[in-house]
């Protein structure tokens, strides 16, 4: 007598089948809280995606929805870290300032003081004229005016940060005996104001040219450190 075939409903669920060793298969581990490294990576991913969205679409149409789609994450993930648009853009400005500072700071290794300042001037001008630099200016203006920054002004913060870094370079060069400067704070302000003045003039003339920036930077370095030599010890050019 031929037995009828078993129907599918007669078969036990695959999950009920015993393991070959007679023990049930272990359940997949549940996902817990992200590690510190993962949390930092996600934070950076949100900021990077925000910057790319701003470069692509501009500030007026910037939304968390756009950032979430660009970063392939949920909008709730962004809100869990930033209460709103202003908080995210504030973090973005700090993030961008730190990246710009680190990139320019890396230019000083294995170069003379004059070469370091000339190269830094060129790269700063290139950055200010770039889409990233123009976006940075727009964000700072928005935070200081439309958002009513409660921290005393982001433009002042960025300026103060730049002066501090330049002053630190002068102080370290002075400790090495490369230059003598009576007032490193005012010297740093003078250097920065000259650089920003050239940027504004070049912007008003339309466009920018790296070769022109390089020629200007070399002349500016010669002029600046000639003044430093006159007010410091004679015959001590930057090395």
């Amino acid at each position: 007598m031929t037995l009828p075939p078993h129907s599918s409903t007669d078969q036990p669920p695959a999950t009920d089948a015993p393991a070959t060793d007679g023990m049930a298969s272990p359940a997949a581990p549940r996902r817990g809280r992200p590690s510190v490294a993962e949390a930092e990576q996600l934070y950076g991913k949100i900021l990077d995606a925000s910057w790319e969205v701003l470069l692509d679409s501009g500030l007026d149409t910037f939304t968390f929805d756009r950032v979430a789609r660009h970063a392939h994450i949920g909008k709730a993930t962004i809100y869990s870290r930033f209460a709103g648009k202003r908080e995210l853009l504030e973090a973005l400005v700090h993030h961008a300032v730190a990246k710009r500072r680190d990139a320019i700071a890396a230019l000083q290794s294995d170069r003379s003081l004059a070469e370091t300042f000339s190269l830094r001037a060129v790269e700063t001008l290139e950055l200010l004229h770039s889409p990233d630099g123009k976006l940075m200016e727009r964000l700072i203006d928005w935070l200081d005016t439309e958002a009513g920054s409660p921290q005393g002004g982001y433009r002042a913060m960025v300026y103060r940060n730049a002066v501090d870094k330049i002053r630190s370079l002068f102080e370290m060069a002075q400790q090495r005996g490369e230059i003598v400067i009576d007032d490193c704070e005012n010297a740093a302000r003078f250097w920065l104001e000259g650089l920003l003045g050239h940027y504004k003039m070049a912007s008003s003339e339309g466009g920018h040219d790296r070769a022109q920036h390089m020629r200007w930077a070399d002349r500016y370095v010669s002029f600046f450190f000639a003044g430093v030599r006159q007010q410091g010890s004679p015959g001590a050019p930057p090395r």
Side-chain angles (χ1 to χ4, degrees):
M1 179 177 178
T2 304
L3 295 175
H6 289 291
S7 67
S8 59
T9 56
D10 294 330
Q11 300 293 333
T15 54
D16 292 338
T20 56
D21 59 0
M23 298 180 63
S25 300
R30 296 184 63 182
R31 178 67 173 167
R33 293 173 61 86
S35 66
V36 173
E38 289 172 331
E40 291 177 350
Q41 185 179 29
L42 181 57
Y43 184 84
K45 183 178 182 179
I46 293 171
L47 294 181
D48 289 340
S50 298
W51 191 265
E52 291 166 6
V53 168
L54 285 165
L55 281 174
D56 183 59
S57 305
L59 184 57
D60 293 336
T61 58
F62 178 81
T63 64
F64 279 17
D65 283 316
R66 287 176 179 266
V67 176
R69 287 196 299 270
H70 193 84
H72 304 291
I73 59 176
K75 188 166 67 171
T77 300
I78 304 176
Y79 273 111
S80 70
R81 289 158 176 80
F82 304 99
K85 179 178 179 178
R86 188 180 75 183
E87 288 75 15
L88 175 54
L89 295 183
E90 285 176 343
L92 195 56
V93 166
H94 284 283
H95 182 65
V97 168
K99 287 181 66 175
R100 178 168 64 179
R101 179 190 63 219
D102 293 344
I104 293 177
L107 300 173
Q108 71 185 75
S109 59
D110 301 327
R111 291 183 173 90
S112 70
L113 187 63
E115 289 173 333
T116 294
F117 271 83
S118 180
L119 185 56
R120 279 181 170 230
V122 172
E123 294 304 323
T124 299
L125 291 169
E126 289 288 298
L127 176 61
L128 289 172
H129 282 285
S130 71
D132 284 330
K134 294 183 184 301
L135 175 57
M136 184 71 167
E137 288 288 301
R138 178 73 178 92
L139 288 178
I140 291 172
D141 284 341
W142 187 86
L143 287 170
D144 281 348
T145 56
E146 298 180 43
S149 171
Q151 300 185 18
Y154 276 90
R155 189 165 299 281
M157 180 269 292
V158 172
Y159 181 87
R160 181 69 257 172
N161 182 276
V163 169
D164 288 344
K165 288 298 176 182
I166 298 167
R167 188 195 68 239
S168 177
L169 277 179
F170 287 153
E171 290 172 346
M172 289 188 293
Q174 191 156 239
Q175 291 172 3
R176 294 191 299 266
E178 297 180 55
I179 55 174
V180 176
I181 299 180
D182 292 337
D183 189 338
C184 289
E185 171 73 17
N186 279 331
R189 289 177 178 272
F190 184 94
W191 170 268
L192 183 58
E193 289 295 340
L195 183 62
L196 295 177
H198 176 73
Y199 161 68
K200 292 175 183 177
M201 182 180 68
S203 297
S204 67
E205 294 174 352
H208 74 96
D209 180 271
R210 183 177 178 87
Q212 181 184 6
H213 292 333
M214 292 175 68
R215 291 191 296 271
W216 176 86
D218 287 341
R219 292 195 300 268
Y220 186 45
V221 165
S222 297
F223 163 78
F224 181 85
F225 284 108
V228 168
R229 289 196 299 273
Q230 288 182 5
Q231 69 93 46
S233 60
R239 295 189 292 272

